[in-house]
Amino acid sequence: MATPDTRTQILDAAEQLFAEHGYRGTSIRAITGLAGANVAAVGYHFGSKAELMAAVARRVSEPVVAAQRAGLDRLLARTPEPSVDALVEAFAGPLFDGMSVDEGGARRSRLIMAILSDPANEVRGWTGPAEEAVRTRYLAAFARALPGVDSAELWFRMRGILAVTAVDRLEVHQGSSPGCASSVAGDESRRWAITFLAAAMSAPATRG
Amino acid sequence: MATPDTRTQILDAAEQLFAEHGYRGTSIRAITGLAGANVAAVGYHFGSKAELMAAVARRVSEPVVAAQRAGLDRLLARTPEPSVDALVEAFAGPLFDGMSVDEGGARRSRLIMAILSDPANEVRGWTGPAEEAVRTRYLAAFARALPGVDSAELWFRMRGILAVTAVDRLEVHQGSSPGCASSVAGDESRRWAITFLAAAMSAPATRG
DNA sequence: GCTTGAATGAAACGAACGTATGAATCAAGC
DNA sequence: GCTTGATTCATACGTTCGTTTCATTCAAGC
């Protein structure tokens, strides 16, 4: 097992530290220190700290978005009107897959949270047209499955999906709540989230 | 209208800037600059930046927690087993009330998000025993209303409530999505959230 | 063997950070 | 009117930040 090149090691270290301490809470020196590289390597390989963050975000989000798109394609190939449950599974599932505790799964999950919640537009602004496009396609599919709910409320609910999946691994109650232990069992929380979100998405429209 | 004292002006400015740029993204100089005070005033009145953040968090969360507790008391005074819908309304409602666009409502909502999602324990650690206690009481009430769902999954769902309400005002899709405009109409998103969350909480237990 | 271009290393830049210091200001008490 | 205690001010300290510079290393091409 040859050690990966400096660029990859910086990406790995940045992914871990950005997830643990956020964008602003992570210094270039901490990243290069963990990666065993020189401070100047970030400037050389990525240009700046912000561009490094963008590269990390791209690497993490690409397989998730691809899986979301593939899942929707698979559903639509079978029937033009997939069920709400199937749509929730296809949309939210990839946000959990590859996120098991082994390797860097939980780390990646926290990273997504760190990106979504960071107040700096510099960090949130990375969301590319690919994410946007797949979400729009899911919105259309949800709209067909839930004809009574208008599109504005559906957008709200899809944001709810992102919120629940993002906060999942975030230990809001820290070590004091009994539910905390469950956040380690990634598979269980995945099934809980699907149950929770499928019921939420299926709710009848709010009476105007 | 006499100008409030320096201490209050610093709290106001800190509340706004912490909400907009997060804890690490806000400098003491920016806070005192907006408050029209001197840099040393933070050290004098609060001791440190972290203690200022704690004071801001306390001021924001106290009325919310009080309203949650009062709402649960009111429900339990009427019936020993309130419905799931009523519990969701009592728990999530205060997270929206007083959060209208006028004044600093949306600002306060974003602040809660900034606190919940900040990776620094220094920031998240402020959650006091009051928040913990009221959440435990709600858990017990939800457990009575949903006898089939075990307590670990209920904790997960209550975290989901916090996630949805917190991310509500967070414009994940920025200006590009049509649902964005709705985040301005606080009352509408409040009703949407209650619908969404009541359905989610009422879901049958995940089959083990 | 020498050259070339990519990659790394050590060091320093100016700026901004949180915090601390000591003098200046001010209202109230006697 | 002088004193006292609380507050505000200008200023500086030491540190850390992101970034840049420039010399050095190193493998491949001719």
Side-chain angles (χ1 to χ4, degrees):
Chain A
M1 43 179 289
T3 63
D5 59 357
T6 302
R7 199 188 131 92
T8 303
Q9 289 198 264
I10 289 177
L11 275 174
D12 291 341
E15 183 179 302
Q16 171 178 339
L17 293 178
F18 282 150
E20 285 177 11
H21 308 113
Y23 177 72
R24 303 195 109 113
T26 304
S27 69
I28 284 190
R29 284 169 175 82
I31 294 171
T32 52
L34 181 61
N38 190 273
V39 241
V42 167
Y44 178 78
H45 287 285
F46 299 95
S48 69
K49 183 187 179 184
E51 291 174 274
L52 168 61
M53 175 55 145
V56 170
R58 244 192 317 273
R59 195 177 66 156
V60 168
S61 76
E62 259 167 7
V64 171
V65 173
Q68 287 176 325
R69 179 169 33 232
L72 183 55
D73 288 342
R74 207 175 314 119
L75 288 180
L76 290 178
R78 199 180 314 152
T79 164
E81 289 199 10
S83 70
V84 172
D85 287 17
L87 287 170
V88 168
E89 164 72 32
F91 185 76
L95 292 166
F96 291 90
D97 297 332
M99 302 277 179
S100 55
V101 279
D102 64 334
E103 193 200 356
R107 167 199 319 175
R108 234 166 300 153
S109 188
R110 267 206 305 257
L111 177 68
I112 292 180
M113 180 64 191
I115 294 171
L116 286 181
S117 67
D118 197 292
N121 289 343
E122 180 186 18
V123 177
R124 278 216 320 281
W126 65 269
T127 47
E131 288 85 355
E132 200 64 34
V134 74
R135 283 179 199 164
T136 302
R137 287 187 60 205
Y138 270 95
L139 178 83
F142 275 118
R144 273 194 297 275
L146 295 161
V149 187
D150 68 36
S151 109
E153 186 167 0
L154 277 182
W155 270 119
F156 175 89
R157 294 188 183 183
M158 286 193 65
R159 253 194 299 176
I161 296 182
L162 289 176
V164 171
T165 56
V167 175
D168 164 49
R169 291 264 164 52
L170 195 70
E171 304 174 10
V172 171
H173 304 85
Q174 264 131 255
S176 51
S177 81
C180 210
S182 71
S183 75
V184 188
D187 191 53
E188 193 163 42
S189 83
R190 178 199 156 119
R191 285 183 289 121
W192 287 348
I194 301 290
T195 301
F196 184 88
L197 293 171
M201 288 301 293
S202 303
T206 302
R207 73 236 178 314
Chain B
M1 45 178 287
T3 63
D5 60 355
T6 303
R7 199 189 131 93
T8 303
Q9 288 199 264
I10 289 178
L11 275 174
D12 291 341
E15 181 179 303
Q16 171 179 340
L17 293 178
F18 282 150
E20 285 177 11
H21 309 113
Y23 177 72
R24 303 195 110 112
T26 303
S27 70
I28 285 189
R29 283 169 175 83
I31 293 171
T32 53
L34 180 61
N38 190 273
V39 244
V42 167
Y44 177 76
H45 287 284
F46 300 95
S48 69
K49 182 185 178 185
E51 292 174 274
L52 168 60
M53 175 55 146
V56 170
R58 243 191 319 273
R59 195 178 66 156
V60 168
S61 75
E62 259 166 7
V64 171
V65 173
Q68 287 176 325
R69 177 169 35 233
L72 183 55
D73 288 341
R74 208 174 314 119
L75 288 180
L76 290 177
R78 200 180 312 152
T79 164
E81 289 199 9
S83 70
V84 172
D85 287 17
L87 287 170
V88 168
E89 165 72 31
F91 184 76
L95 291 166
F96 290 90
D97 297 333
M99 302 278 179
S100 56
V101 279
D102 64 335
E103 193 200 356
R107 167 199 317 175
R108 236 167 299 154
S109 188
R110 267 206 305 259
L111 177 68
I112 293 179
M113 181 64 190
I115 294 170
L116 287 181
S117 66
D118 198 293
N121 289 343
E122 180 186 20
V123 177
R124 279 216 318 280
W126 65 269
T127 47
E131 289 84 354
E132 202 65 34
V134 75
R135 284 179 199 164
T136 302
R137 289 186 61 204
Y138 270 95
L139 179 83
F142 275 118
R144 275 195 296 276
L146 295 162
V149 187
D150 67 35
S151 105
E153 186 166 2
L154 276 183
W155 269 120
F156 175 88
R157 293 188 184 183
M158 287 192 64
R159 252 194 301 175
I161 296 181
L162 289 176
V164 170
T165 56
V167 175
D168 165 49
R169 292 263 166 55
L170 195 71
E171 303 173 12
V172 172
H173 305 86
Q174 264 130 258
S176 51
S177 81
C180 211
S182 69
S183 76
V184 187
D187 189 55
E188 192 163 43
S189 84
R190 179 201 156 117
R191 285 183 289 121
W192 288 348
I194 301 290
T195 301
F196 184 88
L197 294 171
M201 288 301 293
S202 303
T206 303
R207 73 232 177 316

